[in-house]
Amino acid sequence: KASFKYVNYEGPQRDLVFVDTITGKVAARHPQIMYGRSLITQDCNQKTRRCRSVSTSSDTISSGDQAIDDAHNYAIATYDYYLNNHGRDSIDNAGMTLKSRVHYSRNYNNAFWDGSQMTYGDGDGVTFAPLSQDADVVAHELTHGVTERSSGLIYQNESGALNEAWSDIFGAMVDRQEGAAGSDIWLIGEDIYTPGAPGDALRNMADPASMGDYDYYPDRYTGSSDNGGVHWNSGIANLAFQLLVDGGQHPRNKTPEVTVTGIGFDDAAAIFYAANINCLTPSSNFASARYCTALQAKALFDGGQLSSDHQTSIHLAWDAVGVP
Ligand SMILES: Cc1cccc(C(=O)O)c1OC(=O)C1CC1
Ligand SMILES: [Zn+2]
């Protein structure tokens, strides 16, 4: 049976979307509300101020500068991902203009969301190539904006690791939409990290420890570096998401051995998106993430058999990474 319920997302336009309660996917959007992408992409020309606008096109561009084109075009891809899969109209769910700045500073090995825009360095050519040149990086930065406007997860310690993980998770989902397949989906920054050394990545969601990150809650980092390990402990939630999608066991044989039944990309992403906008709060920790993802599985799939199967998989995925 296919039943529909309309979900009234918050936001000035009060978007109305119809969610299929069996699949959890957006089935239809309110016909009267117009959706239009709005973008501004700027070239900072290796400076950090007075960047000049190079495009305000709502469609893809080909300026000849790959850093500019990728920042602009991957922002469009990320906007489309959130609208088509989750019924969200931009970062604020009210059509906010997506602002990006590229060629920021000199040899800048960084990309960041600053509360109102995405900014990408060119990298130093050794550690990083220009950082907008990977779809998962652009979607990662834009998702920091989504998280800031929804759960507001504080960027330190456990809430900060969840903030980072949600950005990697939706970065992977957009990478997949743009053509990544198989294990490449789970590599973060693979197109821009160490351009001279193929095959590595900034992070690996399916085996975080292979890139030096944490993959098991009892072993988590509890120091103060990296804002309390936000880019390191994110591996714990990243791995939980990958196991929820694909099924299987922890890649480094933890005891007790846990085997997860996968539920696929669409349902896992719907549940994690709903947790961010409906349940997680600024100070949520890993235990809250377990609670919220299980709760949203029940809410999205209406408490039926599919819902209980999904809840079982969610609990096993968090068990597998040692989250209580
Ligand atoms: C390269 C970099 C440095 C510091 C913070 C971030 C950050 O945005 O958290 C960052 O970008 C990423 O992690 C994106 C995913 C590759
Ligand atoms: Zn980040």
Side-chain angles (χ1 to χ4, degrees), residues 140 144 155 164 167 231:
H140 176 109
H144 278 312
Y155 202 66
E164 271 299 306
S167 273
H231 292 96

Side-chain angles (χ1 to χ4, degrees), residues 12 39 89 139 143 169 196 202 227 248 250 259 264 271:
L39 294 95
D89 178 17
T143 300
I169 285 162
L202 186 58
N227 291 309
H250 195 290
T259 301
I271 289 162

Side-chain angles (χ1 to χ4, degrees), residues 109-113 128 131 134 136-138 140-141 144 155 163-164 167-168 188-189 192 202-203 226 230-231:
N109 287 324
N110 207 315
F112 59 93
W113 165 260
F128 285 110
L131 282 94
D134 193 341
D136 58 31
V137 174
V138 171
H140 176 109
E141 301 312 335
H144 278 312
Y155 202 66
N163 186 314
E164 271 299 306
S167 273
D168 283 349
I188 300 293
I192 53 147
L202 186 58
R203 290 186 286 278
D226 185 34
V230 301
H231 292 96

Side-chain angles (χ1 to χ4, degrees), residues 190-252:
E190 72 279 12
D191 296 341
I192 53 147
Y193 188 60
T194 61
D200 66 348
L202 186 58
R203 290 186 286 278
N204 178 352
M205 298 173 70
D207 186 7
S210 67
M211 301 297 168
D213 296 314
Y214 293 79
D215 62 7
Y216 195 59
Y217 186 75
D219 301 335
R220 69 192 177 282
Y221 176 75
T222 55
S224 59
S225 303
D226 185 34
N227 291 309
V230 301
H231 292 96
W232 306 335
N233 288 331
S234 55
I236 296 161
N238 283 346
L239 179 55
F241 182 81
Q242 184 267 327
L243 289 170
L244 180 62
V245 170
D246 293 339
Q249 298 170 346
H250 195 290
R252 295 181 185 253

Side-chain angles (χ1 to χ4, degrees), residues 270-283:
I271 289 162
F272 273 64
Y273 175 74
N276 203 4
I277 62 168
N278 294 331
C279 185
L280 293 170
T281 65
S283 59

